[in-house]
Amino acid sequence: MTDEGASGRRRASTGPTLADVAAHAGVSPATVSRVLADNYPVSRSARQRVQRSIRELNYSANTHARALAAGAGSKTMAFILADVRGQSFADAAHGVEQEAAQRGWLTLIGTTQGAPERELALVQLMREQRAGAVILIGGVTDEADEYRQKMTELANSLHAAGSLLVLCGRPPLGDGVPAAVIEYDNENGAYALTSHLLSQGHRRILFLAGPERHSTSIERLAGYRRALTDFGVPDAPELVEHGVFTRASGYQLTRRRLTAGHDFTAVFAGTDVVAAGVYAAANEQGLSVPEDLSVVGYDDVELAQDLRPRLTTVHVPYEDLGRTAAQIAVDDQHRQPGWAGDHRLFKTHVVIRSSVSRLR
């Protein structure tokens, strides 16, 4: 056997080496090490060549697969979210942590502040650290082709390493991508809640959505519009306001609309937190909920019962979502060859309280 043949056979059995990446990128092994460590200055062109070679050779994923095959896998799952202050995501995180602890796993939490590039970087870091699973929760803003491609590559790399990408409350990446998807019925929840307002005689319903290209906003807006159509109520684009899912946004949007003229009888707030801002703006303008203005929210976090009057909203089982994500993460099924993903859908339902009155 020639030296070249022996080298090729070793490479096939162990995967690409750091030297292979260096040769592919046309740089020295030391430069590859510096790019990987990110603790030493490297020229932009050299860094880009190394990163491209790592992706094309799938260097990191194969390294992880060898380590896991040797029994060095990590019983750690990462839970990545936009902001730790949101009650809905906190409930999901509690579900993840409780289930993980029962199964002897540790949970790490990372935040992205809604930045797609930071989300990709955190998933990449968890892959390099050989996390047993990476759970992403929350909607995503109009996934660009580049983002979707990179996240798909990460899903494949995690799976090749015996790990798993779990998407909670967001759309799948595509057919055949080895990731678990756990969604809740966002659109039908919004449809049912809008139908409740319409059944109470309301026809001018202000909808306070989140960011315009955000998947959660798109699904809830779709349910709202479908209900209007089914009740024979014309869609009024001027009654849709895009903001963010915060109390401040709910307050500012409602205050501006009320100041400009009270041309609606009900408000569908994109979340319960947004609804709290609606309450504040209505009170400031001397309006009473629900006598002067009916208000509904979405999520059914504890805040919904603390508001006065108590808020009518859509219940989302966030803690169950978290528990299920953790259960799938520690399951051995996804580690089998040929596993092509898992898609589960949780139901939502309207919780009627005191914030809606029949239109007089």
Side-chain angles (χ1 to χ4, degrees):
M1 182 184 294
T2 64
D3 290 343
E4 182 178 356
S7 174
R9 188 163 292 184
R10 282 195 303 271
R11 190 168 303 148
S13 63
T14 63
T17 66
L18 186 144
D20 294 330
V21 175
H24 188 275
V27 299
S28 69
T31 299
V32 177
S33 295
R34 290 166 182 167
V35 171
L36 291 171
D38 197 23
N39 61 359
Y40 195 91
V42 177
S43 71
R44 182 178 179 183
S45 62
R47 181 180 297 276
Q48 289 175 340
R49 292 201 306 276
V50 170
Q51 291 172 337
R52 183 168 59 249
S53 295
I54 288 172
R55 289 195 302 271
E56 292 178 0
L57 295 178
N58 206 15
Y59 168 72
S60 183
N62 284 334
T63 299
H64 299 160
R66 292 197 303 273
L68 286 170
S74 169
K75 286 193 171 184
T76 300
M77 63 182 70
F79 184 75
I80 299 175
L81 65 163
D83 192 331
V84 296
R85 294 172 295 181
Q87 182 62 54
S88 57
F89 290 167
D91 289 344
H94 179 71
V96 169
E97 200 281 329
Q98 290 292 304
E99 189 66 28
Q102 288 178 12
R103 307 224 180 187
W105 283 52
L106 297 176
T107 306
L108 301 176
I109 294 181
T111 60
T112 68
Q113 306 307 316
E117 61 276 8
R118 177 163 173 78
E119 182 175 272
L120 289 166
L122 282 171
V123 177
Q124 170 74 16
L125 176 62
M126 291 300 100
R127 187 191 71 168
E128 292 170 358
Q129 296 296 320
R130 297 190 295 109
V134 179
I135 301 170
L136 301 180
I137 191 167
V140 62
T141 301
D142 194 17
E143 302 166 65
D145 289 342
E146 183 180 3
Y147 170 91
R148 181 181 288 271
Q149 180 182 349
K150 288 182 177 179
M151 191 60 77
T152 298
E153 290 173 358
L154 287 168
N156 282 304
S157 293
L158 285 163
H159 184 244
S163 183
L164 178 67
L165 179 66
V166 184
L167 306 177
C168 272
R170 66 172 62 187
L173 290 168
D175 294 337
V177 178
V181 179
I182 305 171
E183 293 187 278
Y184 55 89
D185 202 346
N186 217 347
E187 181 177 334
N188 278 331
Y191 175 89
L193 190 58
T194 307
S195 297
H196 174 63
L197 287 170
L198 291 166
S199 71
Q200 297 302 302
H202 297 279
R203 294 296 181 265
R204 297 282 294 177
I205 304 169
L206 178 66
F207 188 90
L208 302 185
E212 190 168 2
R213 296 162 65 185
H214 193 273
S215 60
T216 301
S217 297
I218 292 170
E219 291 169 359
R220 293 180 184 179
L221 183 55
Y224 162 83
R225 284 178 166 154
R226 182 158 59 88
L228 293 178
T229 299
D230 286 355
F231 274 75
V233 177
D235 184 19
E238 73 275 8
L239 288 177
V240 176
E241 293 278 2
H242 288 280
V244 292
F245 293 133
T246 64
R247 181 186 183 280
S249 180
Y251 168 78
Q252 291 163 2
L253 291 174
T254 306
R255 182 177 184 275
R256 180 168 60 80
R257 291 299 298 246
L258 290 175
T259 301
H262 191 175
D263 61 345
F264 50 92
T265 63
V267 179
F268 186 147
T271 69
D272 297 342
V273 173
V274 173
V278 177
Y279 272 49
N283 181 66
E284 188 178 88
Q285 295 294 314
L287 300 177
S288 176
V289 176
E291 289 78 12
D292 302 314
L293 186 67
S294 290
V295 182
V296 297
Y298 207 111
D299 289 336
D300 194 26
V301 297
E302 289 182 355
L303 172 66
Q305 298 191 57
D306 292 335
L307 292 172
R308 290 294 180 270
R310 295 189 304 158
L311 183 66
T312 293
T313 185
V314 173
H315 177 77
V316 179
Y318 284 108
E319 186 170 330
D320 289 342
L321 288 174
R323 285 187 177 277
T324 302
Q327 289 167 2
I328 293 174
V330 302
D331 190 5
D332 287 332
Q333 182 180 352
H334 69 81
R335 297 183 178 87
Q336 303 303 317
W339 187 81
D342 187 359
H343 195 165
R344 305 189 188 186
L345 181 67
F346 280 74
K347 292 183 178 180
T348 56
H349 63 269
V350 174
V351 179
I352 297 176
R353 297 194 176 102
S354 311
S355 62
V356 175
S357 63
R358 179 172 290 278
L359 186 64
R360 294 191 296 270

